[in-house]
Amino acid sequence: MTPPPDGAAEFLFIGNATLLIRYGALTLLTDPNFLHRGQYAYLGKGLMSRRLTEPALAASDIPSDLDAVVLSHLHGDHWDRVARRRLDHSLPIITTPHASRRLQGVHGFSRATGLPTWHDQVLVKDHSQVRVTALPGRHAPGRWQKLLPPVMGSLLDFGAPGQPPRLRVYITGDTLMFPGIHEIARRYPEVHLAVVHLGGTRLPGGLIVTMDALQGAGLVKAVRPERVLPVHYDDYAAFSSPLSAFLEESRSPDFPSAVVHCARGEHVTVNAQGVLATP
């Protein structure tokens, strides 16, 4: 398979929050979710949600040279039973300390690494490097956080070993707007692409536990990435805020970023200067 152009990353949107990312010799998978339309994702505490869409790839289609999984948290629509059964148990998984303990102790993924917030792990292959830094996220407000597993955002700094990063990607994870987002903006004032988890996931009783369109726009205005790629929308019955609502917010005159359009099953290639290729 031909690698992306020098300094660029190629993103394949598989569905929900699942992306296959290629940079140079490196291949990463985010939040693997391969359930089919009509199947249920189990979210713990008796919660579940029905999938409304088909993933663009099956687990068996994932390249055999996959280098690592970046997992925002341990929820059934981000790490499902298909991924648990079908992915190589020796695969490196970069995730939260909570998820790494369960993945190692219960599921047998021996190379799951838990990163505390602001800590990082570096992956190198040939002349390509990515530094994955765990960023703060908050999956629910106040005392409701105890219902849901801890979540992290991820900063992916792509480049060559020993050199400054050439491409910086922020993946929000399933978070709400909270003060930690402004701390991310302060520490990392230059983000080339933000992958924003949306959907306005609604629990029974009406509690919203992922960003809806308005909160997603608020995050973009706080972090001010050059471009934004929306994901985690319209895939599950628990989602209450469609992609169309976020796109409407993005048309506001004070929206600071260009929206990268990438439907399920499509590719987009991005470098620090802009979008190189779309379907």
Side-chain angles (χ1 to χ4, degrees), residues 85-108:
R85 291 194 303 263
R86 300 296 296 273
L87 292 180
D88 185 344
H89 280 56
S90 66
L91 189 65
I93 301 173
I94 302 172
T95 188
T96 65
H98 166 269
S100 71
R101 289 191 295 269
R102 289 193 57 82
L103 288 170
Q104 289 188 51
V106 179
H107 302 306

Side-chain angles (χ1 to χ4, degrees), residues 112-162:
T113 299
L115 292 182
T117 303
W118 309 121
H119 289 237
D120 62 64
Q121 181 172 343
V122 175
L123 301 174
V124 178
K125 187 175 183 181
D126 296 339
H127 301 292
S128 304
Q129 174 180 295
V130 62
R131 182 183 301 275
V132 182
T133 303
L135 301 183
R138 182 173 294 176
H139 206 340
R143 61 188 177 90
W144 299 105
Q145 292 177 61
K146 296 179 180 179
L147 277 177
L148 304 178
V151 66
M152 73 177 195
S154 302
L155 193 76
L156 309 183
D157 279 327
F158 291 104

Side-chain angles (χ1 to χ4, degrees), residues 206-234:
L207 183 70
I208 298 291
V209 296
T210 65
M211 291 184 293
D212 59 13
L214 189 60
Q215 285 204 38
L219 179 142
V220 173
K221 291 173 184 178
V223 177
R224 304 187 70 82
E226 294 177 20
R227 288 163 292 284
V228 58
L229 173 60
V231 300
H232 197 267
Y233 58 81
D234 302 348

Side-chain angles (χ1 to χ4, degrees), residues 33-140:
N33 180 207
F34 300 108
L35 295 176
H36 293 290
R37 183 189 297 116
Q39 292 183 308
Y40 283 84
Y42 299 104
L43 309 179
K45 310 292 186 183
L47 302 172
M48 64 181 67
S49 185
R50 180 171 56 89
R51 186 156 194 172
L52 305 177
T53 62
E54 281 290 325
L57 292 184
S60 58
D61 298 323
I62 298 301
S64 59
D65 62 349
L66 181 65
D67 295 296
V69 172
V70 179
L71 175 63
S72 63
H73 66 305
L74 206 58
H75 245 168
D77 63 327
H78 295 259
W79 176 268
D80 62 27
R81 52 194 178 272
V82 181
R84 188 172 68 240
R85 291 194 303 263
R86 300 296 296 273
L87 292 180
D88 185 344
H89 280 56
S90 66
L91 189 65
I93 301 173
I94 302 172
T95 188
T96 65
H98 166 269
S100 71
R101 289 191 295 269
R102 289 193 57 82
L103 288 170
Q104 289 188 51
V106 179
H107 302 306
F109 286 83
S110 59
R111 299 177 67 190
T113 299
L115 292 182
T117 303
W118 309 121
H119 289 237
D120 62 64
Q121 181 172 343
V122 175
L123 301 174
V124 178
K125 187 175 183 181
D126 296 339
H127 301 292
S128 304
Q129 174 180 295
V130 62
R131 182 183 301 275
V132 182
T133 303
L135 301 183
R138 182 173 294 176
H139 206 340

